[in-house]
Amino acid sequence: MALRHAGSSVLAAACWPALHLAGSGASYVTSIAAAGPTTMSQPRSSFSEVVIALGTNQGNRVDNLLDGLVCLTNHAIKLLRVSLLYETAPKYLSEQPPFLNAAVLGHTDLSPLQLLYHLKQIEKAAGRDLAGARRFGPRPLDLDIIFYGNQDVQHEVLSVPHVSWQDRAFVKAPLADLLLPDDVARGHISEPGPQASVLGKLLTAVQQWEDEGGEAQVGQPGLCRVLPIHRQIWELGHSTHICGILNVTPD
């Protein structure tokens, strides 16, 4: 857990400065105000926590993720926490480039279907072909609703929790980054209402991740924790990339 939290601070500073993330551990609050409720939104008193998975394997992958995060904040989604960054092998269609994956925890007053609509608009603006692209093929940006509060949603165009999250290590690893020890002690994350909080869903996800090996899975082929440095992607955890000494004195 210590490695995860330390790495998250580095990732936020190096990868997503445009979001002005600030905080400690894996928890960050953006200084970019979420857009006001649209005409499609629910009453302002009805907020729910959401967990959204992000993936990209076309173009500049880091820029795609950064742009996606900024767009989320402009679509009535306030970001609360951002996971570490992972480079992963494609799961269903192997003949394509590796993905960069992450996950975010936020809250919104959009309903599940309204949220899905906004995510599809963000994907479309990023250049994703929503009509003719090959299923599980390359994409500049993929945004999936993993959890929406403690709710189970079944609709012809949307299932929440996401139907495949339990089969995807590239989703479970970032999900584990989003849970902090204080959440369990407090009994909620940001939304205390039992139906609005994703805490129960996250606890289930983290427990499954740990049962399957947890941190031991990171660094195995197809799942690497990484850090973007300029045009390079550095793998974290296996070798020393930077070594230095910092001295701080009162004067």
Side-chain angles (χ1 to χ4, degrees), residues 85-105:
L85 189 62
Y86 297 83
E87 186 168 57
T88 67
K91 183 173 176 62
Y92 304 106
L93 187 63
S94 59
E95 298 301 318
Q96 58 179 317
F99 280 81
L100 286 186
N101 292 99
V104 298
L105 168 70

Side-chain angles (χ1 to χ4, degrees), residues 9 20-29:
S9 300
H20 304 293
L21 301 175
S24 61
S27 177
Y28 300 96
V29 179

Side-chain angles (χ1 to χ4, degrees), residues 63-120:
D63 283 351
N64 290 344
L65 291 183
L66 176 57
D67 290 344
L69 292 178
V70 173
C71 286
L72 288 175
T73 68
N74 292 328
H75 283 259
I77 304 158
K78 182 176 181 180
L79 302 186
L80 303 172
R81 298 177 186 173
V82 182
S83 77
L84 292 162
L85 189 62
Y86 297 83
E87 186 168 57
T88 67
K91 183 173 176 62
Y92 304 106
L93 187 63
S94 59
E95 298 301 318
Q96 58 179 317
F99 280 81
L100 286 186
N101 292 99
V104 298
L105 168 70
H107 67 183
T108 184
D109 61 349
L110 298 173
S111 73
L113 289 179
Q114 292 160 2
L115 177 59
L116 176 65
Y117 171 81
H118 282 270
L119 297 187
K120 291 304 176 184

Side-chain angles (χ1 to χ4, degrees), residues 1-29 81-86 177-178 180 225-229 236:
M1 188 68 75
L3 170 63
R4 179 180 299 147
H5 291 175
S8 186
S9 300
V10 174
L11 178 64
C15 181
W16 294 322
L19 289 174
H20 304 293
L21 301 175
S24 61
S27 177
Y28 300 96
V29 179
R81 298 177 186 173
V82 182
S83 77
L84 292 162
L85 189 62
Y86 297 83
D177 294 335
L178 299 178
L180 297 179
R225 188 174 288 136
V226 297
L227 179 69
I229 301 293
L236 295 177

Side-chain angles (χ1 to χ4, degrees), residues 1-2 4-5 8 24-28 49 51 80-84 86 103-105 147 171-190 197-210 215:
M1 188 68 75
R4 179 180 299 147
H5 291 175
S8 186
S24 61
S27 177
Y28 300 96
E49 294 170 353
V51 172
L80 303 172
R81 298 177 186 173
V82 182
S83 77
L84 292 162
Y86 297 83
V104 298
L105 168 70
F147 303 131
V171 172
K172 288 179 285 188
L175 290 186
D177 294 335
L178 299 178
L179 184 67
L180 297 179
D182 287 349
D183 298 333
V184 180
R186 188 169 52 246
H188 68 275
I189 300 176
S190 69
S197 177
V198 298
L199 179 58
K201 303 289 189 184
L202 267 183
L203 284 170
T204 298
V206 172
Q207 185 61 59
Q208 180 174 334
W209 170 250
E210 296 295 340
E215 280 292 305

Side-chain angles (χ1 to χ4, degrees), residues 154-243:
Q154 293 299 324
H155 188 275
E156 59 182 340
V157 298
L158 178 65
S159 294
V160 180
H162 192 282
V163 294
S164 301
W165 76 263
Q166 297 182 72
D167 301 322
R168 297 175 172 179
F170 62 82
V171 172
K172 288 179 285 188
L175 290 186
D177 294 335
L178 299 178
L179 184 67
L180 297 179
D182 287 349
D183 298 333
V184 180
R186 188 169 52 246
H188 68 275
I189 300 176
S190 69
E191 297 293 335
Q195 285 299 104
S197 177
V198 298
L199 179 58
K201 303 289 189 184
L202 267 183
L203 284 170
T204 298
V206 172
Q207 185 61 59
Q208 180 174 334
W209 170 250
E210 296 295 340
D211 289 345
E212 294 170 352
E215 280 292 305
Q217 301 173 79
V218 179
Q220 299 300 314
L223 182 65
C224 297
R225 188 174 288 136
V226 297
L227 179 69
I229 301 293
H230 296 292
R231 298 294 179 180
Q232 300 180 4
I233 299 292
W234 288 2
E235 182 178 351
L236 295 177
H238 286 278
S239 60
T240 300
H241 294 289
I242 299 176
C243 183

